[in-house]
Amino acid sequence: MLKIFKSDRCNKCKAHPGHRFCIRIGKEICWHCCNELRIDEKCPEACRYFPKKNPDEIFASSVKVESRSEYQDLLKKLMKRWVFEPQKIFGGKVPIKMSEKADEKKELTDLVEQLKIIAELPVEYLADLLNIQLKKEKSKTVSHEAIGNRFLRTIVEQDWDSLPNFLRKAWTNDDPELVENFIMRIQKDSNMKRMTRFDLISSALSDNKREALVQYEINGKIDMTLHFLDENDQWKLESRVYGKAEIYRDQQKIMNQAALYLQQQADGKCWEYIDKFLKFFPDSADLQYYMGMYHYFHQNAEKARKYLQNAVEIDGNFTEARYTLATIMQTSGEPEKAERFYKIVLEQTPEDYRAMNNLATIMIDSARADQARPLLEKSLKLQPDFEIAQKNLERIQ
């Protein structure tokens, strides 16, 4: 049974989700409190979250974490402790005291500059603690977790116009109408609209480093996972999912079952199944399309249009959804909009003979038979027994 809502607070701070058992205090705690505890290195080594440090390391690298944010937070806490304690690497001198003397500060600067080669270290933070000015370098790619935080913060601040900046290009293909549709969907999502705070729980990267999942808890109640794709060295939103990251393992199976229900019989059972999982996968172009087709088969053009528009918004290259949406526009007395969509369909699938015929029909009805003729001829060349196109061609002979 998939669940969206939950309530399991940290038994130490009571503020964040408590998702790990601490054998040191015998309670379920959050990663924030875990970091507060383990920096003193007094946790039992039997704990799998115990930070293990190699003899030649300054800061522990062998440590179990569930997100980049957790690791960065731990490192910053270790650094803050490190600068105030005597260090063997400096013959027992205290780094914060060394930063007050020019000759000793150079030793610190040289070390911090060397640490820059370790990608995960928040070296800038350590430099700030020691009042060290680092050499400027090319800015690093912003992490998937940082982008996830920015996206959610933008929603909390209700900065709706900035939301499209987080989308991959193919999401709306920069179509203003579809961009507006996306913003409206976010505004109508009660979980998003009422979000006042969020906690990052965990994250994961694919083996090729091109996909990322970032799991959050929203308002202390709701699990939500953001799926990102690397697009030109920038993390862009692929989808939101209500649930833990593990829900992605079932996604393809869910989509296949929805397609099967629709194919076999678009009845109430089909509607219930798709509606159930749309609550978990609101940004699934497939589920939006299946729901649109369900209503289309039941001759409810208004509802079909809503879901098909969502599908095209989420996947601007979803030509079948765009084609069906164009037919609804055409039969609803909106030939200009339908024409624009048919032309996009033909840009994406140049041999769609159905779109050629429908576009030609609009042109014939608007006294543009000269433009319609080559479309109909090409349509019939691709599909010689296409009776509707043949009748349209006879209309303009």
Side-chain angles (χ1 to χ4, degrees):
M1 177 69 178
L2 295 172
K3 294 183 179 179
I4 297 177
F5 300 97
K6 63 169 199 170
S7 58
D8 50 352
R9 298 294 86 196
C10 170
N11 284 294
K12 192 171 187 294
C13 69
K14 310 296 183 184
H16 302 288
H19 60 286
R20 67 181 59 165
F21 184 76
C22 175
I23 60 177
R24 180 171 172 179
I25 65 174
K27 295 179 180 179
E28 293 282 342
I29 62 173
C30 62
W31 64 257
H32 303 271
C33 290
C34 179
N35 281 350
E36 291 285 354
L37 288 167
R38 58 181 164 172
I39 59 171
D40 63 7
E41 300 181 0
K42 293 180 180 179
C43 294
E45 290 192 35
C47 177
R48 57 181 179 151
Y49 293 98
F50 180 82
K52 298 173 182 177
K53 186 171 68 173
N54 297 324
D56 59 340
E57 286 184 327
I58 297 174
F59 304 107
S61 62
S62 180
V63 55
K64 180 175 174 56
V65 293
E66 292 173 2
S67 68
R68 186 177 187 273
S69 295
E70 178 182 345
Y71 188 41
Q72 293 279 300
D73 179 75
L74 174 63
L75 288 170
K76 287 178 180 180
K77 285 179 168 60
L78 289 170
M79 287 175 174
K80 195 168 184 179
R81 185 182 181 94
W82 182 84
V83 300
F84 288 101
E85 295 180 341
Q87 301 299 331
K88 289 182 180 179
I89 193 172
F90 296 125
K93 289 183 285 189
V94 178
I96 197 68
K97 295 293 184 182
M98 293 173 65
S99 67
E100 299 170 359
K101 301 176 183 178
D103 56 335
E104 294 183 351
K105 187 172 183 178
K106 186 179 183 308
E107 289 184 68
L108 285 173
T109 303
D110 290 344
L111 175 67
V112 175
E113 287 286 352
Q114 291 173 27
L115 291 174
K116 285 162 62 175
I117 65 171
I118 305 175
E120 290 299 319
L121 282 181
V123 179
E124 294 82 3
Y125 179 79
L126 180 59
D128 288 341
L129 289 174
L130 297 170
N131 194 26
I132 291 174
Q133 189 72 36
L134 293 175
K135 296 175 184 176
K136 290 187 178 180
E137 293 186 354
K138 183 180 178 181
S139 59
K140 300 177 183 177
T141 302
V142 182
S143 74
H144 51 286
E145 293 180 11
I147 294 299
N149 292 344
R150 289 181 187 177
F151 173 71
L152 295 182
R153 198 173 297 116
T154 299
I155 295 174
V156 170
E157 295 169 356
Q158 298 191 5
D159 182 9
W160 309 119
D161 291 339
S162 296
L163 286 180
N165 298 330
F166 294 93
L167 303 179
R168 53 181 170 74
K169 181 174 176 55
W171 190 303
T172 62
N173 280 339
D174 297 326
D175 183 324
E177 185 177 333
L178 297 180
V179 169
E180 184 62 27
N181 193 78
F182 165 71
I183 294 173
M184 291 296 293
R185 281 202 307 119
I186 293 289
Q187 290 176 334
K188 289 178 181 178
D189 185 328
S190 59
N191 294 322
M192 294 285 91
K193 189 174 182 179
R194 296 171 185 170
M195 180 171 59
T196 57
R197 63 187 178 89
F198 54 87
D199 272 300
L200 195 156
I201 305 301
S202 64
S203 71
L205 274 173
S206 63
D207 291 339
N208 63 7
K209 312 293 185 186
R210 301 302 300 274
E211 290 189 66
L213 298 176
V214 188
Q215 182 184 324
Y216 292 91
E217 184 189 76
I218 306 299
N219 289 345
K221 296 179 179 179
I222 305 164
D223 284 317
M224 187 182 73
T225 301
L226 300 181
H227 182 196
F228 291 100
L229 294 181
D230 183 325
E231 187 173 83
N232 300 321
D233 292 327
Q234 291 185 316
W235 289 107
K236 294 294 184 177
L237 184 68
E238 167 70 6
S239 65
R240 300 164 296 140
V241 172
Y242 285 111
K244 297 180 180 179
E246 291 81 0
I247 195 174
Y248 275 93
R249 292 181 301 192
D250 301 321
Q251 188 172 11
Q252 193 55 55
K253 183 171 67 175
I254 292 168
M255 302 306 156
N256 292 343
Q257 184 61 58
L260 188 62
Y261 275 137
L262 190 67
Q263 182 181 10
Q264 290 179 340
Q265 188 174 0
D267 57 9
K269 186 176 181 180
C270 171
W271 181 90
E272 288 175 7
Y273 186 87
I274 298 172
D275 182 66
K276 171 185 175 181
F277 286 106
L278 264 176
K279 292 179 174 64
F280 293 93
F281 299 93
D283 296 332
S284 167
D286 287 339
L287 285 178
Q288 295 283 0
Y289 171 71
Y290 296 149
M291 184 62 92
M293 294 307 294
Y294 168 85
H295 290 296
Y296 185 72
F297 293 153
H298 285 77
Q299 300 181 343
N300 190 330
E302 185 178 348
K303 285 190 175 181
R305 179 172 182 158
K306 167 190 168 185
Y307 289 104
L308 291 169
Q309 177 112 337
N310 291 345
V312 174
E313 169 233 304
I314 296 165
D315 184 354
N317 299 320
F318 200 156
T319 54
E320 192 60 35
R322 192 182 289 272
Y323 170 80
T324 309
L325 184 56
T327 63
I328 292 174
M329 292 172 173
Q330 185 175 5
T331 55
S332 300
E334 299 173 88
E336 295 85 2
K337 286 186 177 182
E339 180 173 341
R340 184 169 73 89
F341 269 42
Y342 283 135
K343 286 180 177 178
I344 295 173
V345 169
L346 289 172
E347 287 174 6
Q348 295 172 345
T349 55
E351 296 191 348
D352 191 322
Y353 62 90
R354 304 166 307 164
M356 292 175 194
N357 173 73
N358 291 0
L359 179 57
T361 301
I362 294 173
M363 291 175 172
I364 293 170
D365 292 342
S366 57
R368 288 179 288 162
D370 56 328
Q371 297 178 41
R373 186 183 302 278
L375 285 170
L376 292 170
E377 290 173 347
K378 186 174 181 181
S379 177
L380 285 167
K381 185 177 180 181
L382 291 167
Q383 191 72 19
D385 59 349
F386 192 13
E387 187 177 346
I388 299 176
Q390 183 62 51
K391 289 182 178 178
N392 269 331
L393 189 58
E394 291 171 1
R395 288 172 60 194
I396 59 176
Q397 294 292 6

